[in-house]
Amino acid sequence: MSLKIKRIYDPAGEHDGARVLVERGWPRGVSKARAQLEDWLKDLAPSPALRAWWDHDPARMVAFTERYRAELHDGAHQAALARLREIIARHPTTTLLYAAQDPVVNHAHVLQNYLAAPRHAHH
């Protein structure tokens, strides 16, 4: 299993596998056709309140990561995580798509690490 992250604004590539958008809102200027999505899992994005607090501030990345990981355990996130795990199980490669400019200071990076951790760490 390969789990990658990529900006939604970068062109789709043959090595992306299943492309899953993990943003709450649709990214500006990206057509549905260009996105080439397997799925759009809005509920995997951080809550609007958490996203507003964080504001993509690198100085808050550690605290954001802890808060976002905690959110991933709530009901809405659990259903979306189950759907994502189904997609990952069906495809050798899955790419999580995000809209942020920074390849590290973004929630998809946190989500990728969360999913890559040993399964027992998720409970």
Side-chain angles (χ1 to χ4, degrees), residues 50 53-54 59-69:
L50 178 56
W53 169 83
W54 175 39
R60 290 185 173 172
M61 190 66 189
V62 172
F64 167 76
T65 298
E66 291 173 8
R67 291 177 185 196
Y68 180 43
R69 283 173 159 284

mmCIF file of all heavy atoms in Angstrom, residues 50 53-54 59-69:
data_model
loop_
_atom_site.group_PDB
_atom_site.id
_atom_site.type_symbol
_atom_site.label_atom_id
_atom_site.label_comp_id
_atom_site.label_asym_id
_atom_site.label_seq_id
_atom_site.Cartn_x
_atom_site.Cartn_y
_atom_site.Cartn_z
ATOM 1 N N LEU A 50 -11.460 24.414 14.125
ATOM 2 C CA LEU A 50 -10.045 24.061 14.254
ATOM 3 C C LEU A 50 -9.235 24.700 13.131
ATOM 4 O O LEU A 50 -8.159 25.244 13.364
ATOM 5 C CB LEU A 50 -9.863 22.538 14.242
ATOM 6 C CG LEU A 50 -8.415 22.042 14.334
ATOM 7 C CD1 LEU A 50 -7.704 22.601 15.568
ATOM 8 C CD2 LEU A 50 -8.381 20.526 14.317
ATOM 9 N N TRP A 53 -8.763 28.394 13.906
ATOM 10 C CA TRP A 53 -7.788 28.599 14.982
ATOM 11 C C TRP A 53 -6.367 28.419 14.458
ATOM 12 O O TRP A 53 -5.477 29.210 14.736
ATOM 13 C CB TRP A 53 -8.050 27.614 16.127
ATOM 14 C CG TRP A 53 -6.929 27.595 17.117
ATOM 15 C CD1 TRP A 53 -6.740 28.471 18.151
ATOM 16 C CD2 TRP A 53 -5.810 26.703 17.141
ATOM 17 N NE1 TRP A 53 -5.578 28.166 18.813
ATOM 18 C CE2 TRP A 53 -4.982 27.079 18.211
ATOM 19 C CE3 TRP A 53 -5.428 25.619 16.349
ATOM 20 C CZ2 TRP A 53 -3.801 26.424 18.517
ATOM 21 C CZ3 TRP A 53 -4.250 24.957 16.650
ATOM 22 C CH2 TRP A 53 -3.454 25.362 17.728
ATOM 23 N N TRP A 54 -6.149 27.363 13.687
ATOM 24 C CA TRP A 54 -4.812 27.029 13.191
ATOM 25 C C TRP A 54 -4.324 28.039 12.160
ATOM 26 O O TRP A 54 -3.197 28.522 12.231
ATOM 27 C CB TRP A 54 -4.867 25.631 12.582
ATOM 28 C CG TRP A 54 -3.624 25.168 11.917
ATOM 29 C CD1 TRP A 54 -2.338 25.374 12.337
ATOM 30 C CD2 TRP A 54 -3.516 24.401 10.728
ATOM 31 N NE1 TRP A 54 -1.445 24.773 11.474
ATOM 32 C CE2 TRP A 54 -2.163 24.161 10.477
ATOM 33 C CE3 TRP A 54 -4.446 23.876 9.850
ATOM 34 C CZ2 TRP A 54 -1.714 23.439 9.386
ATOM 35 C CZ3 TRP A 54 -4.013 23.136 8.774
ATOM 36 C CH2 TRP A 54 -2.653 22.936 8.544
ATOM 37 N N ALA A 59 3.835 27.695 13.427
ATOM 38 C CA ALA A 59 4.118 27.686 14.863
ATOM 39 C C ALA A 59 3.051 26.901 15.635
ATOM 40 O O ALA A 59 3.302 26.465 16.761
ATOM 41 C CB ALA A 59 4.199 29.117 15.398
ATOM 42 N N ARG A 60 1.878 26.720 15.049
ATOM 43 C CA ARG A 60 0.804 25.973 15.707
ATOM 44 C C ARG A 60 0.685 24.543 15.189
ATOM 45 O O ARG A 60 -0.258 23.843 15.542
ATOM 46 C CB ARG A 60 -0.532 26.687 15.488
ATOM 47 C CG ARG A 60 -0.634 27.988 16.236
ATOM 48 C CD ARG A 60 -2.011 28.589 16.086
ATOM 49 N NE ARG A 60 -2.144 29.746 16.944
ATOM 50 C CZ ARG A 60 -3.167 30.561 16.931
ATOM 51 N NH1 ARG A 60 -4.171 30.359 16.112
ATOM 52 N NH2 ARG A 60 -3.210 31.595 17.739
ATOM 53 N N MET A 61 1.624 24.099 14.358
ATOM 54 C CA MET A 61 1.497 22.788 13.714
ATOM 55 C C MET A 61 1.431 21.643 14.721
ATOM 56 O O MET A 61 0.623 20.730 14.558
ATOM 57 C CB MET A 61 2.655 22.580 12.725
ATOM 58 C CG MET A 61 2.487 21.382 11.834
ATOM 59 S SD MET A 61 1.085 21.572 10.706
ATOM 60 C CE MET A 61 1.010 19.932 10.019
ATOM 61 N N VAL A 62 2.248 21.684 15.762
ATOM 62 C CA VAL A 62 2.244 20.593 16.746
ATOM 63 C C VAL A 62 0.901 20.543 17.473
ATOM 64 O O VAL A 62 0.284 19.476 17.585
ATOM 65 C CB VAL A 62 3.419 20.737 17.740
ATOM 66 C CG1 VAL A 62 3.291 19.728 18.873
ATOM 67 C CG2 VAL A 62 4.748 20.543 17.001
ATOM 68 N N ALA A 63 0.428 21.672 17.939
ATOM 69 C CA ALA A 63 -0.859 21.714 18.636
ATOM 70 C C ALA A 63 -1.995 21.361 17.675
ATOM 71 O O ALA A 63 -2.925 20.631 18.051
ATOM 72 C CB ALA A 63 -1.093 23.093 19.239
ATOM 73 N N PHE A 64 -1.915 21.858 16.442
ATOM 74 C CA PHE A 64 -2.935 21.511 15.455
ATOM 75 C C PHE A 64 -2.972 20.001 15.229
ATOM 76 O O PHE A 64 -4.049 19.399 15.184
ATOM 77 C CB PHE A 64 -2.678 22.216 14.119
ATOM 78 C CG PHE A 64 -3.503 21.642 13.000
ATOM 79 C CD1 PHE A 64 -4.852 21.948 12.895
ATOM 80 C CD2 PHE A 64 -2.949 20.764 12.087
ATOM 81 C CE1 PHE A 64 -5.629 21.387 11.894
ATOM 82 C CE2 PHE A 64 -3.719 20.200 11.082
ATOM 83 C CZ PHE A 64 -5.056 20.514 10.979
ATOM 84 N N THR A 65 -1.811 19.383 15.098
ATOM 85 C CA THR A 65 -1.736 17.941 14.863
ATOM 86 C C THR A 65 -2.433 17.179 15.986
ATOM 87 O O THR A 65 -3.229 16.268 15.728
ATOM 88 C CB THR A 65 -0.267 17.485 14.726
ATOM 89 O OG1 THR A 65 0.310 18.142 13.583
ATOM 90 C CG2 THR A 65 -0.150 15.986 14.555
ATOM 91 N N GLU A 66 -2.172 17.557 17.232
ATOM 92 C CA GLU A 66 -2.815 16.888 18.374
ATOM 93 C C GLU A 66 -4.334 17.072 18.338
ATOM 94 O O GLU A 66 -5.081 16.116 18.533
ATOM 95 C CB GLU A 66 -2.261 17.453 19.684
ATOM 96 C CG GLU A 66 -0.812 17.066 19.939
ATOM 97 C CD GLU A 66 -0.235 17.771 21.154
ATOM 98 O OE1 GLU A 66 -0.987 18.444 21.901
ATOM 99 O OE2 GLU A 66 0.988 17.655 21.352
ATOM 100 N N ARG A 67 -4.775 18.286 18.056
ATOM 101 C CA ARG A 67 -6.218 18.566 18.042
ATOM 102 C C ARG A 67 -6.904 17.864 16.867
ATOM 103 O O ARG A 67 -8.014 17.345 17.009
ATOM 104 C CB ARG A 67 -6.465 20.074 17.962
ATOM 105 C CG ARG A 67 -6.057 20.796 19.235
ATOM 106 C CD ARG A 67 -6.249 22.287 19.098
ATOM 107 N NE ARG A 67 -5.745 22.990 20.256
ATOM 108 C CZ ARG A 67 -6.050 24.246 20.540
ATOM 109 N NH1 ARG A 67 -6.840 24.946 19.754
ATOM 110 N NH2 ARG A 67 -5.550 24.815 21.612
ATOM 111 N N TYR A 68 -6.246 17.854 15.711
ATOM 112 C CA TYR A 68 -6.831 17.212 14.534
ATOM 113 C C TYR A 68 -6.907 15.698 14.727
ATOM 114 O O TYR A 68 -7.912 15.074 14.423
ATOM 115 C CB TYR A 68 -6.019 17.583 13.289
ATOM 116 C CG TYR A 68 -6.518 16.969 12.003
ATOM 117 C CD1 TYR A 68 -7.869 16.913 11.690
ATOM 118 C CD2 TYR A 68 -5.617 16.466 11.072
ATOM 119 C CE1 TYR A 68 -8.313 16.363 10.500
ATOM 120 C CE2 TYR A 68 -6.044 15.917 9.878
ATOM 121 C CZ TYR A 68 -7.396 15.870 9.599
ATOM 122 O OH TYR A 68 -7.825 15.317 8.414
ATOM 123 N N ARG A 69 -5.853 15.112 15.290
ATOM 124 C CA ARG A 69 -5.878 13.664 15.562
ATOM 125 C C ARG A 69 -7.029 13.330 16.523
ATOM 126 O O ARG A 69 -7.697 12.314 16.373
ATOM 127 C CB ARG A 69 -4.551 13.202 16.161
ATOM 128 C CG ARG A 69 -3.449 13.061 15.132
ATOM 129 C CD ARG A 69 -2.132 12.776 15.843
ATOM 130 N NE ARG A 69 -1.116 12.167 15.050
ATOM 131 C CZ ARG A 69 -1.056 10.892 14.675
ATOM 132 N NH1 ARG A 69 -2.013 10.070 15.016
ATOM 133 N NH2 ARG A 69 -0.068 10.437 13.962
#
